[in-house]
């Protein structure tokens, strides 16, 4: 696993290289509330070996939803040791209609749960979980201490 950084130490890390089931991925880092809220919304594609890793300050039950997401996304929830707790193919939802309030729109969206305490979540292009043959209780090797230090 390699962290990709800017030219100086003052530039925040924006991506990380991670091996998942023998394939190399370059994942965008989501380490603070703003980047976690925005996630991959609005994207029209994700590179085959790209995606995003969400790093949280603590492990707890989590759920994700597809607010303003235009494409289907695979998600992998991981506990504090890098063990998969849940995997889902998250399907894009119809956009918010003019007649819907923000609350009504968000209420109709499906939630995808971590099925236990999760410290990390990885979002990949649709079909990645199947292609990589990932299952609950598989482990993804992560530099856990480095990732924990990035969470804000």
């Amino acid at each position: 696993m390699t962290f990709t950084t800017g030219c100086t130490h003052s530039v925040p890390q924006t991506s990380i290289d991670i091996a998942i089931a023998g394939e190399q991925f370059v994942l965008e880092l989501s380490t603070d509330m703003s980047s976690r809220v925005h996630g991959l919304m609005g994207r029209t594609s994700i590179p085959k070996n790209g995606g995003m890793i969400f790093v949280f300050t603590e492990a707890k039950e989590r759920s994700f939803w597809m607010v303003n997401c235009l494409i289907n996304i695979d998600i992998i929830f991981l506990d504090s040791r890098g063990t998969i707790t849940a995997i889902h193919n998250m399907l894009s939802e119809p956009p918010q209609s003019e007649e819907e309030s923000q609350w009504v729109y968000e209420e109709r969206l499906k939630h995808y749960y971590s099925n236990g305490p999760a410290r990390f979540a990885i979002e990949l292009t649709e079909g990645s979980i199947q292609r990589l043959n990932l299952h609950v209780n598989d482990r993804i090797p992560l530099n856990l201490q480095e990732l924990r230090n990035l969470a804000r």
Side-chain angles (χ1 to χ4, degrees):
M1 173 169 49
T2 305
F3 289 97
T4 305
T5 62
C7 298
T8 67
H9 289 86
S10 63
V11 176
Q13 297 170 338
T14 59
S15 65
I16 182 172
D17 294 337
I18 294 179
I20 303 174
E23 287 189 33
Q24 282 299 124
F25 288 82
V26 178
L27 302 179
E28 297 174 44
L29 282 162
S30 177
T31 58
D32 60 18
M33 185 59 73
S34 175
S35 65
R36 287 184 208 115
V37 168
H38 194 264
L40 293 174
M41 72 171 61
R43 307 282 178 100
T44 57
S45 66
I46 302 170
K48 177 184 175 198
N49 289 86
M52 184 172 281
I53 182 167
F54 296 79
V55 183
F56 298 94
T57 58
E58 62 184 344
K60 67 179 189 179
E61 182 71 30
R62 308 224 175 256
S63 72
F64 278 47
W65 55 1
M66 297 290 281
V67 173
N68 300 318
C69 290
L70 307 175
I71 57 173
N72 298 339
I73 298 171
D74 282 0
I75 189 165
I76 306 161
F77 289 101
L78 304 144
D79 68 12
S80 294
R81 298 166 300 163
T83 301
I84 297 174
T85 63
I87 54 177
H88 302 281
N89 175 249
M90 300 189 301
L91 302 176
S92 63
E93 303 263 1
Q96 182 178 0
S97 71
E98 290 184 20
E99 296 82 35
E100 284 180 305
S101 68
Q102 188 68 28
W103 186 85
V104 169
Y105 167 62
E106 291 177 1
E107 278 296 303
R108 75 167 159 85
L109 299 177
K110 180 177 179 176
H111 286 248
Y112 299 87
Y113 292 92
S114 62
N115 298 332
R119 183 78 185 262
F120 310 100
I122 297 175
E123 290 184 339
L124 303 171
T125 188
E126 179 184 30
S128 295
I129 290 170
Q130 184 176 9
R131 185 181 83 247
L132 297 167
N133 196 28
L134 296 175
H135 300 91
V136 171
N137 292 322
D138 287 351
R139 199 169 199 157
I140 295 178
L142 301 172
N143 186 332
L144 300 171
Q145 192 57 49
E146 286 290 331
L147 287 171
R148 287 182 193 125
N149 289 341
L150 292 172
R152 298 182 297 280

